[in-house]
Amino acid sequence: MKDVETRPRKYEGILILAIFLATLPLLIGFSLLIISSFSKDMVTNFNFKSFHPTLENWINVFRGKLAITGGVRVNMIRIVLNTLIVALGVSGLVTLVSVMSGYALSRMDFKGRKWMIVSLMLLHAFPGVALIVGVYLLYRISFPQGQDWVRLYSFIYVIFARAALEVPMSVWLMKGFFDTIPWEFEWSGIIDGASRITVWRKIMLPLIKPGILAVALFSFLAGWQDIIYVRTFLIDQTLATFIEANIEAEYTHMPLIAAAGTLYLLPTIIFFLTAQQILLRGYSGGIKG
């Protein structure tokens, strides 16, 4: 007897066709973007006569050369580094907060616990755009007086602001993972003389590694892809704001922007290709309330 539910195969073809049709606009858009990044001219329709293969766009992207003629250049390495700083900062902060908070909500009984659990989903429901006015007010109030700290402050603030949007859902996921671990594992450690912190660090965390990795990946992608908070609070450019700022500039060579857009997509593609099983376990294992 099979341990999984089976469904009639006669509907599989229809289901696959429906999924394919639903994702077809996205597939066409991403395909044309990637093809254009290797072409001298943009391929904006299915007329592939405009496709003239070249690697010049990618070479110019890494050189920071935005136009074919003239001397318009940017420090592309610095822009990629800025994007990485934001993404890694958001990932690290969200993972740290959600792992500790998820454990506390799962294992400890304290005043306001039930209210906090209900509030997590409510906070996650608020879109980041709706909060931008209040977040900007805090940004202005806490803005440093000295010019030397402005750039560092903008990085720290955008990391904390973007992480705050990801924390509620991540805490909920981590709580679900901690809920799946039997109490006997924790009791055995405490009986052996270990402190609660030691049990959390040496027994609980190794058992929820897939959840930790899933939360870290999701929050990394959130920081990497963010444009609203980065555009509002960060002084330096990231890949998202770089593409947004140059997409309508007169001097910009569009196939080069297509190459920058493809570079912007690479972490997402790599993560989803290499960590599909982990992400699925993250969603399925962390939804227990």
Side-chain angles (χ1 to χ4, degrees), residues 143-153 235:
F143 201 77
Q145 298 297 321
Q147 294 297 318
D148 297 337
W149 297 99
V150 171
R151 176 164 275 107
L152 175 63
Y153 171 77
I235 294 174

Side-chain angles (χ1 to χ4, degrees), residues 200-258:
W200 172 76
R201 183 168 56 87
K202 292 188 176 181
I203 297 179
M204 304 296 279
L205 292 189
L207 294 174
I208 59 163
K209 279 182 180 177
I212 296 174
L213 190 54
V215 167
L217 288 177
F218 285 133
S219 51
F220 177 87
L221 293 178
W224 180 270
Q225 298 171 350
D226 181 73
I227 184 169
I228 298 174
Y229 279 53
V230 168
R231 181 78 172 79
T232 307
F233 302 115
L234 193 64
I235 294 174
D236 296 284
Q237 279 190 323
T238 64
L239 276 172
T241 53
F242 166 76
I243 294 171
E244 185 259 345
N246 287 280
I247 201 165
E248 294 181 350
E250 293 182 0
Y251 54 80
T252 302
H253 185 50
M254 288 308 294
L256 191 145
I257 296 301

Side-chain angles (χ1 to χ4, degrees), residues 10-65:
K10 61 181 180 181
Y11 297 118
E12 283 187 0
I14 299 174
L15 184 62
I16 293 172
L17 180 61
I19 295 174
F20 175 74
L21 291 176
T23 56
L24 189 58
L26 287 175
L27 293 175
I28 292 175
F30 287 135
S31 300
L32 292 179
L33 179 73
I34 295 171
I35 291 171
S36 297
S37 71
F38 293 99
S39 172
K40 292 182 179 178
D41 301 307
M42 285 295 289
V43 181
T44 55
N45 50 39
F46 292 104
N47 181 13
F48 289 99
K49 291 182 180 178
S50 57
F51 176 70
H52 304 289
T54 180
L55 292 176
E56 185 181 3
N57 300 320
W58 284 91
I59 295 172
N60 286 337
V61 162
F62 286 107
R63 286 178 176 174
K65 186 179 178 182

Side-chain angles (χ1 to χ4, degrees), residues 148-169:
D148 297 337
W149 297 99
V150 171
R151 176 164 275 107
L152 175 63
Y153 171 77
S154 69
F155 271 106
I156 294 175
Y157 193 86
V158 79
I159 288 172
F160 272 81
R162 194 63 186 83
L165 297 178
E166 302 301 318
V167 162
M169 188 62 186

Side-chain angles (χ1 to χ4, degrees), residues 42-213:
M42 285 295 289
V43 181
T44 55
N45 50 39
F46 292 104
N47 181 13
F48 289 99
K49 291 182 180 178
S50 57
F51 176 70
H52 304 289
T54 180
L55 292 176
E56 185 181 3
N57 300 320
W58 284 91
I59 295 172
N60 286 337
V61 162
F62 286 107
R63 286 178 176 174
K65 186 179 178 182
L66 295 185
I68 297 176
T69 59
V72 182
R73 287 179 179 273
V74 295
N75 188 344
M76 184 57 68
I77 301 299
R78 180 66 191 177
I79 291 174
V80 174
L81 184 61
N82 292 339
T83 315
L84 273 175
I85 291 173
V86 174
L88 290 174
V90 172
S91 178
L93 186 60
V94 170
T95 305
L96 179 65
V97 172
S98 60
V99 168
M100 292 191 295
S101 303
Y103 175 77
L105 290 173
S106 173
R107 296 304 215 225
M108 299 177 183
D109 188 19
F110 52 88
K111 189 176 181 180
R113 175 179 175 272
K114 188 175 181 180
W115 179 84
M116 288 187 65
I117 293 174
V118 174
S119 300
L120 285 176
M121 298 310 294
L122 182 63
L123 288 172
H124 184 68
F126 285 102
V129 178
L131 304 173
I132 198 73
V133 175
V135 178
Y136 184 77
L137 178 62
L138 292 175
Y139 177 76
R140 295 301 304 173
I141 292 174
S142 57
F143 201 77
Q145 298 297 321
Q147 294 297 318
D148 297 337
W149 297 99
V150 171
R151 176 164 275 107
L152 175 63
Y153 171 77
S154 69
F155 271 106
I156 294 175
Y157 193 86
V158 79
I159 288 172
F160 272 81
R162 194 63 186 83
L165 297 178
E166 302 301 318
V167 162
M169 188 62 186
S170 300
V171 172
W172 183 264
L173 287 174
M174 293 311 304
K175 176 186 175 300
F177 274 98
F178 282 115
D179 287 343
T180 61
I181 301 175
W183 274 97
E184 287 77 7
F185 287 90
E186 197 165 355
W187 289 338
S188 61
I190 294 174
I191 291 173
D192 290 339
S195 66
R196 203 65 183 269
I197 296 295
T198 304
V199 170
W200 172 76
R201 183 168 56 87
K202 292 188 176 181
I203 297 179
M204 304 296 279
L205 292 189
L207 294 174
I208 59 163
K209 279 182 180 177
I212 296 174
L213 190 54

